Amino acid sequence: MLKKIAAIAIATVAVSATAQTNSLADAQIDSLLKSHKIVFLDGKPSDSDEKDRIIDSLRTRITEFYYDQFRHFSDPDAPYFLFLSRDAQLAMGIGGAVRMRAYYDWDGAQPSPGFAPYLIPMTKDPANRRHFDTTPAGTSLFFRVIGRNKVLGNYQLYIEANFNGYQSRDFHLKKAYAIVNDFTIGYANSTFSDPAAVPPTVDAQGPANKISPTATLIRYMPVIKEKWVFAVSGETPSNSLGVDGEHTKKVSNWMPDWAAFAQYQWMKGQHVRLSGIVRTLSYRDLVSEQNHNIAGWGVQLSSVSHPADPLTLYLTASYGKGYAGTGGDLSIGSYDLVANPDITGKMYAPASYGWCLGLQYNFRPNLFVSANASQTRYLPQHTVNPAEYRYGIAAAVNVFWNLTPRIQVGAEYDYGVRHDFSGASRSANRVGAMCMFSF
């Protein structure tokens, strides 16, 4: 399967390299770039040519916001109001999004606003055959500063907070980082992730294999000749270990996760990327009273491209051992390290893989339909409980419509199947709707 997906990625790059330079999806971004109100903090320049030059320069920087290497479709738009100094050395924007989702489950209601095959109940419960709910999760506020300094060069500051906490209403920090030239320092998307290659969904959970960790990190990411992007980072680990407290115990993190990627991009918003992560997974064997360190690792191939004017293709495929906690179905459980049933007190890093293929078709710049299918499979080396999750498959079909550059609505149908090692399986269905106002 992974070889087939790699072949698809190579074919996608070859076809997309000859495609048109401006897709309908890019045209929608162009409309967003025209929807900003620029306010000069200390008076407009007296020379109109100088004013136009400054505004054009700022819009170039805003374009970089929409073509950010780590921007996902569901992330908020650039702020409507931008405050600019007269010399254009500092721009500040405060923005956000009000997002409401509603969903209805039947034939296998899930106990979560996020649709995930892992959570499909394997036993039918007559009291939970159907479920309707709403959530404001994804409503956000953010603050961005773009500036230039004689000493630092170009820099950015970004803070974002979402209402995704307790009962999807508590306000909590999502991102907080600074970018100084090629360096990023702060709480940001992991270098191992590629949000731009994840297809759009109404449901916040996304595909079954979605790699989506956020970590406090230091990243170096140079761009070479506009076509090649390389990155390497040290990141604060967040491990999910299957310790039982009786025979095994978690050891405090003492080594950062190390992530890197190499990317080729032939146009803005179109690339193919190979990323990897290496992790130190530590636990204590309470039987032998010894600490053990196991190496976890993962690799991911990802791509987003426009092989034709109305068409966007998305691809992600990953494989590794001890990387399950970085995202996808298995991140809901504790699968970075699991118990070895043959030796009491011993643990190992199990293998797993995941893939997702997505397709988007724009009828107009502001109206498109998309579909995606994804899978995550658990590959333990030893015998497991028959009721253990073996693999999950998820599929989604949706439509998005931007009524205005700042108002978006969407609807989606989700279908998922969970398979256990016993051979048992169950499916689930969901329809959802979303409305978002950006400012």
Side-chain angles (χ1 to χ4, degrees):
M1 176 59 74
L2 293 179
K3 291 182 179 179
K4 291 181 180 179
I5 294 175
I8 292 173
I10 294 171
T12 298
V13 172
V15 172
S16 299
T18 60
Q20 298 181 34
T21 59
N22 191 33
S23 69
L24 291 180
D26 293 321
Q28 173 60 20
I29 293 177
D30 291 341
S31 70
L32 285 168
L33 293 172
K34 298 174 183 177
S35 69
H36 300 283
K37 176 66 175 178
I38 298 174
V39 179
F40 286 86
L41 292 173
D42 48 5
K44 298 179 181 179
S46 56
D47 187 278
S48 59
D49 291 338
E50 177 67 11
K51 175 187 172 183
D52 291 341
R53 184 194 65 79
I54 290 174
I55 292 176
D56 289 342
S57 175
L58 180 59
R59 283 179 174 160
T60 299
R61 300 296 299 275
I62 298 173
T63 301
E64 295 173 1
F65 176 92
Y66 287 108
Y67 290 104
D68 188 313
Q69 297 290 340
F70 295 97
R71 174 176 168 76
H72 183 253
F73 170 81
S74 64
D75 288 345
D77 296 327
Y80 177 76
F81 289 103
L82 292 166
F83 301 95
L84 185 66
S85 61
R86 178 179 292 188
D87 60 4
Q89 296 300 301
L90 183 68
M92 178 182 66
I94 300 174
V98 177
R99 190 190 328 251
M100 296 298 299
R101 293 186 178 97
Y103 59 93
Y104 175 76
D105 291 354
W106 74 96
D107 191 25
Q110 296 192 23
S112 169
F115 187 85
Y118 187 93
L119 297 175
I120 296 175
M122 297 303 290
T123 302
K124 290 186 178 181
D125 183 356
N128 290 295
R129 292 188 301 111
R130 295 167 293 183
H131 179 70
F132 169 77
D133 209 342
T134 60
T135 174
T139 296
S140 62
L141 289 172
F142 69 91
F143 179 88
R144 180 180 289 270
V145 171
I146 301 173
R148 181 172 178 80
N149 183 275
K150 292 181 180 179
V151 177
L152 297 177
N154 294 324
Y155 67 89
Q156 295 184 46
L157 304 175
Y158 185 77
I159 297 175
E160 181 183 345
N162 279 24
F163 290 91
N164 284 350
Y166 177 68
Q167 294 184 344
S168 300
R169 291 173 176 81
D170 280 3
F171 200 48
H172 81 288
L173 184 68
K174 184 178 181 182
K175 298 176 186 177
Y177 59 84
I179 299 177
V180 181
N181 295 318
D182 294 333
F183 289 91
T184 299
I185 303 173
Y187 188 58
N189 291 102
S190 169
T191 302
F192 185 50
S193 67
D194 189 358
V198 177
T201 57
V202 168
D203 185 82
Q205 184 71 19
N209 74 317
K210 181 181 175 183
I211 303 296
S212 57
T214 303
T216 302
L217 53 79
I218 298 178
R219 175 166 55 228
Y220 176 59
M221 191 175 75
V223 179
I224 299 176
K225 295 183 178 180
E226 298 184 355
K227 297 292 186 181
W228 291 95
V229 184
F230 298 93
V232 61
S233 65
E235 308 181 359
T236 302
S238 179
N239 302 327
S240 184
L241 312 183
V243 296
D244 58 16
E246 180 181 358
H247 303 112
T248 55
K249 180 181 180 180
K250 185 176 181 179
V251 171
S252 298
N253 294 322
W254 61 277
M255 175 66 71
D257 289 347
W258 301 100
F261 73 69
Q263 171 178 300
Y264 176 74
Q265 55 188 24
W266 51 97
M267 296 176 190
K268 284 185 177 180
Q270 302 186 67
H271 68 254
V272 60
R273 176 188 297 182
L274 181 64
S275 53
I277 190 169
V278 177
R279 322 173 75 197
T280 299
L281 306 171
S282 303
Y283 76 97
R284 183 168 180 79
D285 181 345
L286 298 177
V287 177
S288 64
E289 297 185 348
Q290 292 182 333
N291 291 349
H292 298 277
N293 302 310
I294 297 178
W297 59 272
V299 293
Q300 177 172 247
L301 176 68
S302 55
S303 177
V304 57
S305 61
H306 305 299
D309 184 39
L311 195 63
T312 305
L313 296 180
Y314 303 90
L315 165 72
T316 56
S318 59
Y319 176 82
K321 294 184 177 182
Y323 82 108
T326 61
D329 251 20
L330 292 176
S331 65
I332 301 173
S334 299
Y335 293 94
D336 286 340
L337 289 182
V338 298
N340 182 339
D342 300 328
I343 307 175
T344 303
K346 298 298 181 182
M347 305 186 76
Y348 71 98
S352 63
Y353 74 78
W355 58 266
C356 176
L357 293 174
L359 171 69
Q360 174 181 321
Y361 186 89
N362 282 69
F363 298 102
R364 299 197 298 268
N366 65 334
L367 175 65
F368 70 82
V369 295
S370 77
N372 68 79
S374 59
Q375 181 188 77
T376 291
R377 184 178 286 264
Y378 179 41
L379 303 169
Q381 296 171 227
H382 302 277
T383 303
V384 298
N385 188 315
E388 178 64 79
Y389 171 100
R390 186 178 185 184
Y391 67 90
I393 297 174
V397 179
N398 53 51
V399 57
F400 286 90
W401 180 25
N402 285 77
L403 284 74
T404 73
R406 296 284 169 172
I407 301 176
Q408 182 184 77
V409 294
E412 181 172 275
Y413 168 67
D414 295 287
Y415 176 76
V417 182
R418 170 175 169 153
H419 291 259
D420 288 349
F421 279 91
S422 65
S425 65
R426 276 205 78 199
S427 61
N429 299 268
R430 170 175 291 185
V431 290
M434 182 274 298
C435 183
M436 183 177 72
F437 301 84
S438 299
F439 62 90

